[in-house]
Amino acid sequence: MHEQIHMIRLRTADMTGKEKVSYIANYYWYHILGLAALVFFPVFLAVHVAGAAEKTEFTCVLVNQAIDYERDNSLGESLADWLGLKASLVDVDSNYNISYGDIQLTGINESSYEKFFFKWNNNELDAVILPESFYEYCKELGGTFRNLEEFDTGTLPLYENDGAAAGVLIEGSGLQSMLPNETGEELILVFPESADRADYCQEFLDFIMNMS
């Protein structure tokens, strides 16, 4: 490298500043590119590894509820503490106002629909709090949910569908005070069957029972 720098200095000794820049760009661009790769690749790798290490462990989304980030963060931090996880590893997000079927909302972010089902298809939704009509809509699209009979639900008020315990009714649970229901229909906590953290689902139920 020192020898190459010396050669560049000799060859550009009589050039103007503009000519030197043009000469180096034309004849040594691949050296510059290689050096940039050596400098930035370790940085990229470190950021990528750090990001992977911070993968969310539990995600709960709230569909068609008031978007309230302060409430979301408070609930997420309390749940993370209950689960014994860092707050950054638990995501509670109410930014999911969605139009579907006969339910057509105004002034919403239309991308929330795609975001919701993208996360579902990627098995990134562990828990969903949603109106009953959206629960039925998801089922019509082929969505499946865990049967709560596989969990300990204690005295939580349950929502039944097709003769089975399909979810927890928010009304009458410890979450009711945090989620004023303005949909005019039942608000339900359900667990998509695609999620693979059944242990955290049970812990979430225990967390809610402890709030009651």
Side-chain angles (χ1 to χ4, degrees):
M1 177 63 75
H2 290 294
E3 183 178 345
Q4 289 174 333
I5 293 174
H6 179 66
M7 290 299 297
I8 291 172
R9 285 176 176 170
L10 289 177
R11 292 171 181 174
T12 60
D14 297 325
M15 296 182 184
T16 64
K18 185 176 181 180
E19 290 172 334
K20 289 179 181 180
V21 171
S22 178
Y23 175 84
I24 293 171
N26 285 326
Y27 293 99
Y28 292 94
W29 63 268
Y30 47 91
H31 291 87
I32 297 171
L33 187 62
L35 182 61
L38 286 174
V39 171
F40 289 106
F41 180 73
V43 175
F44 169 80
L45 186 63
V47 171
H48 180 73
V49 170
E54 288 292 316
K55 180 181 177 182
T56 302
E57 291 288 338
F58 189 84
T59 297
C60 175
V61 304
L62 285 58
V63 176
N64 289 359
Q65 297 302 294
I67 298 175
D68 185 339
Y69 297 121
E70 184 176 348
R71 174 204 57 207
D72 297 350
N73 290 336
S74 176
L75 179 57
E77 289 171 2
S78 297
L79 179 57
D81 186 60
W82 179 271
L83 296 174
L85 297 173
K86 291 168 56 179
S88 60
L89 300 183
V90 174
D91 182 27
V92 176
D93 189 358
S94 58
N95 191 13
Y96 285 87
N97 284 348
I98 298 173
S99 291
Y100 57 94
D102 295 332
I103 306 297
Q104 296 298 311
L105 307 180
T106 59
I108 64 172
N109 185 347
E110 297 294 340
S111 67
S112 293
Y113 183 98
E114 288 78 13
K115 181 174 66 170
F116 178 86
F117 287 105
F118 178 81
K119 282 184 172 290
W120 190 323
N121 289 334
N122 284 342
N123 303 332
E124 296 177 20
L125 294 181
D126 300 293
V128 183
I129 296 174
L130 74 182
E132 183 178 19
S133 60
F134 191 63
Y135 167 81
E136 294 292 346
Y137 180 79
C138 291
K139 287 186 64 180
E140 290 174 5
L141 294 180
T144 56
F145 300 89
R146 291 183 182 275
N147 186 330
L148 264 62
E149 291 176 3
E150 65 181 279
F151 298 108
D152 175 14
T153 56
T155 59
L156 289 173
L158 300 181
Y159 171 78
E160 293 195 359
N161 184 267
D162 295 331
V168 173
L169 293 169
I170 297 304
E171 185 176 358
S173 77
L175 291 173
Q176 181 177 354
S177 62
M178 302 183 73
L179 299 171
N181 184 10
E182 299 177 356
T183 64
E185 53 183 306
E186 298 282 13
L187 194 59
I188 313 162
L189 165 66
V190 294
F191 301 112
E193 200 167 43
S194 58
D196 58 1
R197 294 310 304 261
D199 53 340
Y200 283 158
C201 293
Q202 179 61 65
E203 288 285 352
F204 191 21
L205 292 170
D206 293 342
F207 170 77
I208 297 171
M209 286 188 279
N210 188 64
M211 298 172 67
S212 302

PDB file of all heavy atoms in Angstrom, residues 197-209:
ATOM      1  N   ARG A 197     -44.475 -19.727  20.245  1.00  0.00           N
ATOM      2  CA  ARG A 197     -44.108 -19.477  21.633  1.00  0.00           C
ATOM      3  C   ARG A 197     -45.304 -19.696  22.553  1.00  0.00           C
ATOM      4  O   ARG A 197     -45.817 -18.772  23.183  1.00  0.00           O
ATOM      5  CB  ARG A 197     -43.544 -18.072  21.799  1.00  0.00           C
ATOM      6  CG  ARG A 197     -42.228 -17.817  21.089  1.00  0.00           C
ATOM      7  CD  ARG A 197     -41.173 -18.901  21.376  1.00  0.00           C
ATOM      8  NE  ARG A 197     -40.917 -19.058  22.788  1.00  0.00           N
ATOM      9  CZ  ARG A 197     -39.873 -18.497  23.409  1.00  0.00           C
ATOM     10  NH1 ARG A 197     -39.015 -17.780  22.741  1.00  0.00           N
ATOM     11  NH2 ARG A 197     -39.689 -18.701  24.695  1.00  0.00           N
ATOM     12  N   ALA A 198     -45.759 -20.940  22.644  1.00  0.00           N
ATOM     13  CA  ALA A 198     -46.891 -21.268  23.517  1.00  0.00           C
ATOM     14  C   ALA A 198     -46.567 -20.951  24.968  1.00  0.00           C
ATOM     15  O   ALA A 198     -47.455 -20.602  25.755  1.00  0.00           O
ATOM     16  CB  ALA A 198     -47.263 -22.741  23.365  1.00  0.00           C
ATOM     17  N   ASP A 199     -45.286 -21.068  25.341  1.00  0.00           N
ATOM     18  CA  ASP A 199     -44.907 -20.781  26.720  1.00  0.00           C
ATOM     19  C   ASP A 199     -45.150 -19.317  27.069  1.00  0.00           C
ATOM     20  O   ASP A 199     -45.665 -18.988  28.148  1.00  0.00           O
ATOM     21  CB  ASP A 199     -43.440 -21.161  26.967  1.00  0.00           C
ATOM     22  CG  ASP A 199     -42.480 -20.528  25.967  1.00  0.00           C
ATOM     23  OD1 ASP A 199     -42.940 -20.115  24.874  1.00  0.00           O
ATOM     24  OD2 ASP A 199     -41.277 -20.454  26.270  1.00  0.00           O
ATOM     25  N   TYR A 200     -44.835 -18.422  26.148  1.00  0.00           N
ATOM     26  CA  TYR A 200     -45.073 -17.003  26.388  1.00  0.00           C
ATOM     27  C   TYR A 200     -46.563 -16.677  26.343  1.00  0.00           C
ATOM     28  O   TYR A 200     -47.023 -15.755  27.027  1.00  0.00           O
ATOM     29  CB  TYR A 200     -44.319 -16.148  25.373  1.00  0.00           C
ATOM     30  CG  TYR A 200     -42.833 -16.028  25.648  1.00  0.00           C
ATOM     31  CD1 TYR A 200     -41.932 -15.694  24.648  1.00  0.00           C
ATOM     32  CD2 TYR A 200     -42.335 -16.234  26.934  1.00  0.00           C
ATOM     33  CE1 TYR A 200     -40.579 -15.575  24.900  1.00  0.00           C
ATOM     34  CE2 TYR A 200     -40.979 -16.118  27.198  1.00  0.00           C
ATOM     35  CZ  TYR A 200     -40.107 -15.791  26.180  1.00  0.00           C
ATOM     36  OH  TYR A 200     -38.758 -15.678  26.436  1.00  0.00           O
ATOM     37  N   CYS A 201     -47.323 -17.414  25.540  1.00  0.00           N
ATOM     38  CA  CYS A 201     -48.778 -17.210  25.515  1.00  0.00           C
ATOM     39  C   CYS A 201     -49.364 -17.514  26.893  1.00  0.00           C
ATOM     40  O   CYS A 201     -50.207 -16.776  27.405  1.00  0.00           O
ATOM     41  CB  CYS A 201     -49.419 -18.088  24.454  1.00  0.00           C
ATOM     42  SG  CYS A 201     -48.967 -17.641  22.754  1.00  0.00           S
ATOM     43  N   GLN A 202     -48.907 -18.624  27.494  1.00  0.00           N
ATOM     44  CA  GLN A 202     -49.377 -18.957  28.843  1.00  0.00           C
ATOM     45  C   GLN A 202     -48.937 -17.900  29.851  1.00  0.00           C
ATOM     46  O   GLN A 202     -49.709 -17.501  30.729  1.00  0.00           O
ATOM     47  CB  GLN A 202     -48.836 -20.323  29.265  1.00  0.00           C
ATOM     48  CG  GLN A 202     -49.253 -20.752  30.674  1.00  0.00           C
ATOM     49  CD  GLN A 202     -50.753 -20.885  30.830  1.00  0.00           C
ATOM     50  OE1 GLN A 202     -51.379 -21.738  30.212  1.00  0.00           O
ATOM     51  NE2 GLN A 202     -51.358 -20.027  31.653  1.00  0.00           N
ATOM     52  N   GLU A 203     -47.716 -17.412  29.707  1.00  0.00           N
ATOM     53  CA  GLU A 203     -47.232 -16.371  30.610  1.00  0.00           C
ATOM     54  C   GLU A 203     -48.054 -15.085  30.453  1.00  0.00           C
ATOM     55  O   GLU A 203     -48.311 -14.389  31.438  1.00  0.00           O
ATOM     56  CB  GLU A 203     -45.757 -16.077  30.318  1.00  0.00           C
ATOM     57  CG  GLU A 203     -44.792 -17.175  30.748  1.00  0.00           C
ATOM     58  CD  GLU A 203     -44.593 -17.206  32.254  1.00  0.00           C
ATOM     59  OE1 GLU A 203     -45.079 -16.289  32.948  1.00  0.00           O
ATOM     60  OE2 GLU A 203     -43.932 -18.143  32.741  1.00  0.00           O
ATOM     61  N   PHE A 204     -48.480 -14.802  29.227  1.00  0.00           N
ATOM     62  CA  PHE A 204     -49.308 -13.621  28.999  1.00  0.00           C
ATOM     63  C   PHE A 204     -50.653 -13.777  29.709  1.00  0.00           C
ATOM     64  O   PHE A 204     -51.165 -12.841  30.328  1.00  0.00           O
ATOM     65  CB  PHE A 204     -49.502 -13.414  27.498  1.00  0.00           C
ATOM     66  CG  PHE A 204     -50.124 -12.092  27.122  1.00  0.00           C
ATOM     67  CD1 PHE A 204     -50.090 -11.000  27.991  1.00  0.00           C
ATOM     68  CD2 PHE A 204     -50.744 -11.924  25.895  1.00  0.00           C
ATOM     69  CE1 PHE A 204     -50.653  -9.780  27.648  1.00  0.00           C
ATOM     70  CE2 PHE A 204     -51.321 -10.713  25.536  1.00  0.00           C
ATOM     71  CZ  PHE A 204     -51.270  -9.643  26.408  1.00  0.00           C
ATOM     72  N   LEU A 205     -51.221 -14.972  29.635  1.00  0.00           N
ATOM     73  CA  LEU A 205     -52.475 -15.239  30.347  1.00  0.00           C
ATOM     74  C   LEU A 205     -52.278 -15.097  31.855  1.00  0.00           C
ATOM     75  O   LEU A 205     -53.118 -14.512  32.552  1.00  0.00           O
ATOM     76  CB  LEU A 205     -52.983 -16.639  30.006  1.00  0.00           C
ATOM     77  CG  LEU A 205     -53.452 -16.853  28.563  1.00  0.00           C
ATOM     78  CD1 LEU A 205     -53.688 -18.336  28.295  1.00  0.00           C
ATOM     79  CD2 LEU A 205     -54.721 -16.055  28.282  1.00  0.00           C
ATOM     80  N   ASP A 206     -51.171 -15.611  32.366  1.00  0.00           N
ATOM     81  CA  ASP A 206     -50.871 -15.485  33.803  1.00  0.00           C
ATOM     82  C   ASP A 206     -50.731 -14.014  34.180  1.00  0.00           C
ATOM     83  O   ASP A 206     -51.188 -13.579  35.245  1.00  0.00           O
ATOM     84  CB  ASP A 206     -49.573 -16.230  34.135  1.00  0.00           C
ATOM     85  CG  ASP A 206     -49.701 -17.732  33.985  1.00  0.00           C
ATOM     86  OD1 ASP A 206     -50.838 -18.231  33.970  1.00  0.00           O
ATOM     87  OD2 ASP A 206     -48.659 -18.409  33.863  1.00  0.00           O
ATOM     88  N   PHE A 207     -50.082 -13.255  33.297  1.00  0.00           N
ATOM     89  CA  PHE A 207     -49.894 -11.816  33.508  1.00  0.00           C
ATOM     90  C   PHE A 207     -51.248 -11.112  33.627  1.00  0.00           C
ATOM     91  O   PHE A 207     -51.469 -10.289  34.533  1.00  0.00           O
ATOM     92  CB  PHE A 207     -49.087 -11.247  32.338  1.00  0.00           C
ATOM     93  CG  PHE A 207     -49.006  -9.747  32.282  1.00  0.00           C
ATOM     94  CD1 PHE A 207     -48.149  -9.051  33.135  1.00  0.00           C
ATOM     95  CD2 PHE A 207     -49.762  -9.025  31.366  1.00  0.00           C
ATOM     96  CE1 PHE A 207     -48.055  -7.656  33.073  1.00  0.00           C
ATOM     97  CE2 PHE A 207     -49.679  -7.651  31.299  1.00  0.00           C
ATOM     98  CZ  PHE A 207     -48.824  -6.969  32.158  1.00  0.00           C
ATOM     99  N   ILE A 208     -52.190 -11.455  32.729  1.00  0.00           N
ATOM    100  CA  ILE A 208     -53.516 -10.826  32.762  1.00  0.00           C
ATOM    101  C   ILE A 208     -54.273 -11.244  34.016  1.00  0.00           C
ATOM    102  O   ILE A 208     -54.942 -10.419  34.655  1.00  0.00           O
ATOM    103  CB  ILE A 208     -54.320 -11.225  31.503  1.00  0.00           C
ATOM    104  CG1 ILE A 208     -53.604 -10.701  30.247  1.00  0.00           C
ATOM    105  CG2 ILE A 208     -55.741 -10.666  31.576  1.00  0.00           C
ATOM    106  CD1 ILE A 208     -54.184 -11.228  28.945  1.00  0.00           C
ATOM    107  N   MET A 209     -54.173 -12.537  34.388  1.00  0.00           N
ATOM    108  CA  MET A 209     -54.854 -12.985  35.603  1.00  0.00           C
ATOM    109  C   MET A 209     -54.308 -12.267  36.834  1.00  0.00           C
ATOM    110  O   MET A 209     -55.053 -11.973  37.776  1.00  0.00           O
ATOM    111  CB  MET A 209     -54.703 -14.496  35.758  1.00  0.00           C
ATOM    112  CG  MET A 209     -55.575 -15.296  34.804  1.00  0.00           C
ATOM    113  SD  MET A 209     -55.572 -17.071  35.138  1.00  0.00           S
ATOM    114  CE  MET A 209     -54.053 -17.574  34.338  1.00  0.00           C
TER     115      MET A 209
END
